[in-house]
Amino acid sequence: MAKVYLIGAGPGDLGLFTLKGKQVLETADVVIYDYLAHPDLLKFCREDAEVLYVGKKGGDHTLPQDQINALIIAKAREGKSVARLKGGDPYVFGRGGEEAEELVEAGVEFEVVPGVTSGVAAAAYAGIPVTHRDHTTSVCFITGHEDPTKEESGHNWEVYGRSSSTLVFYMGVKNLPMIAGNLMNNGRAPETPVALVRWGTRCDQQSFVSTLKDVAAEAERRKFKAPSIIIVGGVCGLHDKLAWFEKKPLLGKGVVVTRSREQASDLSALLREDGACVLEFPTIAVTPAADDEAVEKAVVALPSYDWAVFTSVNGVKCFWDHLAEFGLDARVFAGVEVGAIGPATAAALAERGIRADFVPEKFVAEQVVAGLLEKGAAGKRVLIPRAREAREVLPEDLRKAGCHVDVLPVYETRPAQSDASELRAALDEGRIHYVTFASSSTVDNFFALMPAEEMRKHSSVRFACIGPVTAKTLEKYGFAPSVQPGDYTIPALVAALVEDARR
């Protein structure tokens, strides 16, 4: 149905995007987005959605506003659902009101989906409450960059200067000397605290507090640029006391996640929680094994096995996908003991109604073998649903113990991409501090795209491996891991990386 949604993308932190906005993105035919809308929000879009960038950066317009208006209307008139994604809130210095007026005049139905505005969110992430009963009971949002075509300024500097309200200026960093001067000339004390917050709520957030008389010089010294907000008032004095976001241990650290796109989210979420700037660079893609007949035979024969041992979350997911195709579920495991190589795999089984009978303390094949033998698996029939290509340690050692082992390929991994341009740019700009590897295949595929000789040019980049097997693969390329946890799990990998960053 033809309809336009004016959606506030929020200030940058993905967690601050609204549920309503996500719901619209998931169903929209067309998504038209701005520079300040976080690019990861586009992951919510339908795969077949038409995604168009119309933003501006530093005054450089991809499309001027009148053409953006015309584009939105044209797409709606094609009978499409259009999501217009704008940084912050569409009605707070987002020109959403202008776009809504154009839609009304064109007879196009629309809705507004408000977003969290940076004037509140960036301040909060910098430890500054915009209102506080000990300082002020009101806040004023002000544009720091007026429409140059207006005949008269909309600013009343006399009111701003004499007011006790917190003043929040958007898009004003270029005009900071003028703003500070006008406030002081109209009654604001030169010692009034002033804060600047750049890229508020994002992993590269920066902030500082100065005074009205010194802030312009301090911003110049620190090379503060847009996008920044300016906060004026006594509440800025709480910055050092209440700051919390900039204390996150990985803030500003660029971390590459090389897991498959489907699996990257868990690791990425944990890293972002600690403040990291995550660059997802999936080096492998997981696809179900094509041999349905072999899987079907194994499922039919399940009652003849004593154990089924799953070595990965992917193995669990793909095996259950096959079960669903056959119209079956967890009941096929009746009478069969089930092992999982680690807690994530055990959790994937639990989600599907199977509580693992065995999970080893150390999550590598050698420990699995020892644990299974302690559980009495020697001489028993064992089914291992796994990747088509994987280490043979587990099946071979079980066979040495007298087990009858059948390996069932339920999925295979392949290289996920051939374009490393985004990663190269981030490396060349010094934005990458860590590269993480959660399996040997991610190591091999990473260096197929980024040759070892090229990576040696970036000697400050540190490698993090989930365990000794992955670390051994990394050593083939002439690198040693700087980070390797004692427990071979994703949470432990993140904890070890945080510890390394603190050191």
Side-chain angles (χ1 to χ4, degrees):
M1 182 181 71
K3 192 171 187 177
V4 174
Y5 295 85
L6 303 176
I7 307 173
D13 185 335
L14 294 176
L16 298 181
F17 189 52
T18 65
L19 289 174
K20 179 66 178 288
K22 178 175 179 288
Q23 290 167 1
V24 174
L25 284 186
E26 288 171 339
T27 59
D29 301 309
V30 181
V31 178
I32 300 172
Y33 73 103
D34 276 348
Y35 168 60
L36 291 178
H38 198 296
D40 280 357
L41 292 176
L42 301 179
K43 293 179 181 178
F44 297 136
C45 300
R46 285 172 18 203
E47 288 188 7
D48 62 340
E50 183 179 7
V51 179
L52 304 171
Y53 173 67
V54 296
K56 65 174 182 176
K57 180 178 179 181
D60 182 17
H61 294 253
T62 301
L63 278 183
Q65 187 62 46
D66 61 338
Q67 292 184 36
I68 293 174
N69 298 342
L71 176 65
I72 296 169
I73 292 168
K75 292 299 178 182
R77 284 178 171 165
E78 291 175 9
K80 295 179 178 178
S81 170
V82 181
R84 171 69 172 111
L85 192 60
K86 306 169 73 66
D89 180 275
Y91 278 8
V92 181
F93 305 121
R95 305 192 75 170
E98 298 170 45
E99 293 177 2
E101 287 183 297
E102 292 286 338
L103 292 168
V104 170
E105 290 183 15
V108 175
E109 186 180 358
F110 76 96
E111 286 187 23
V112 179
V113 182
V116 180
T117 184
S118 62
V120 174
Y125 273 50
I128 301 170
V130 291
T131 64
H132 190 292
R133 66 169 59 192
D134 294 337
H135 296 276
T136 182
T137 57
S138 59
V139 58
C140 182
F141 297 132
I142 309 164
T143 178
H145 180 74
E146 281 194 291
D147 182 350
T149 65
K150 290 170 62 176
E151 293 183 4
E152 294 183 11
S153 172
H155 290 310
N156 190 329
W157 291 106
E158 184 177 357
V159 170
Y160 300 158
R162 296 171 66 177
S163 172
S164 61
S165 297
T166 300
L167 306 179
V168 181
F169 290 88
Y170 290 63
M171 305 167 290
V173 69
K174 285 185 178 180
N175 296 326
L176 186 53
M178 178 272 290
I179 291 170
N182 280 334
L183 290 174
M184 288 187 288
N185 291 339
N186 285 276
R188 279 272 180 159
E191 298 303 323
T192 301
V194 181
L196 260 67
V197 187
R198 184 167 192 257
W199 285 122
T201 80
R202 299 200 184 203
C203 63
D204 46 0
Q205 174 179 305
Q206 296 174 293
S207 65
F208 74 89
V209 176
S210 184
T211 62
L212 207 51
K213 66 182 177 63
D214 296 326
V215 67
E218 183 66 13
E220 178 68 23
R221 186 182 73 80
R222 293 175 181 257
K223 295 181 170 55
F224 253 59
K225 299 177 181 178
S228 299
I229 63 163
I230 304 161
I231 310 163
V232 181
V235 290
C236 297
L238 297 169
H239 170 276
D240 293 346
K241 182 179 181 180
L242 301 183
W244 57 276
F245 184 68
E246 290 174 43
K247 294 179 181 178
K248 286 182 176 282
L250 297 180
L251 191 77
K253 298 291 185 185
V255 183
V256 178
V257 172
T258 57
R259 302 185 91 193
S260 68
R261 199 172 299 281
E262 297 81 7
Q263 288 185 297
S265 58
D266 291 345
L267 176 54
S268 297
L270 289 173
L271 290 167
R272 288 190 177 110
E273 183 62 28
D274 284 316
C277 298
V278 176
L279 193 161
E280 290 187 358
F281 182 69
T283 59
I284 60 172
V286 176
T287 57
D291 193 353
D292 286 345
E293 185 178 346
V295 178
E296 188 171 10
K297 286 180 179 178
V299 170
V300 170
L302 260 179
S304 69
Y305 289 97
D306 301 290
W307 281 89
V309 180
F310 288 89
T311 59
S312 70
V313 172
N314 288 326
V316 174
K317 178 182 180 301
C318 291
F319 189 87
W320 253 260
D321 287 345
H322 284 292
L323 287 182
E325 288 178 10
F326 306 145
L328 301 172
D329 57 25
R331 286 172 288 185
V332 299
F333 287 94
V336 181
E337 292 191 272
V338 179
I341 201 169
T345 305
L349 287 167
E351 289 173 5
R352 293 161 173 83
I354 297 291
R355 181 179 296 177
D357 297 289
F358 168 68
V359 183
E361 292 184 6
K362 291 288 185 181
F363 315 123
V364 290
E366 293 84 351
Q367 293 287 329
V368 177
V369 171
L372 286 171
L373 295 179
E374 287 179 10
K375 286 277 189 178
K380 301 293 181 66
R381 287 175 57 83
V382 181
L383 178 69
I384 305 178
R386 64 167 210 187
R388 187 175 300 281
E389 294 183 11
R391 295 178 73 222
E392 297 300 326
V393 174
L394 178 58
E396 286 179 358
D397 284 2
L398 285 173
R399 288 178 183 127
K400 288 176 184 177
C403 296
H404 175 87
V405 180
D406 289 324
V407 172
L408 176 67
V410 292
Y411 72 95
E412 52 195 7
T413 60
R414 55 180 175 78
Q417 60 182 304
S418 58
D419 183 12
S421 57
E422 183 183 6
L423 175 61
R424 280 194 172 89
L427 286 165
D428 290 342
E429 293 165 13
R431 293 189 284 114
I432 300 302
H433 302 84
Y434 292 93
V435 177
T436 61
F437 296 116
S439 67
S440 290
S441 56
T442 60
V443 177
D444 289 329
N445 290 349
F446 177 86
F447 285 104
L449 295 167
M450 290 293 299
E453 287 303 316
E454 188 173 348
M455 282 305 301
R456 287 191 182 91
K457 299 174 185 176
H458 306 286
S459 57
S460 64
V461 175
R462 300 168 73 78
F463 294 101
C465 291
I466 198 167
V469 175
T470 306
K472 189 172 181 180
T473 306
L474 178 65
E475 289 166 4
K476 289 193 316 184
Y477 297 93
F479 298 96
S482 301
V483 178
Q484 184 180 313
D487 289 335
Y488 315 138
T489 66
I490 292 300
L493 177 63
V494 174
L497 199 150
V498 166
E499 183 60 30
D500 185 78
R502 282 178 170 149
R503 283 198 301 266

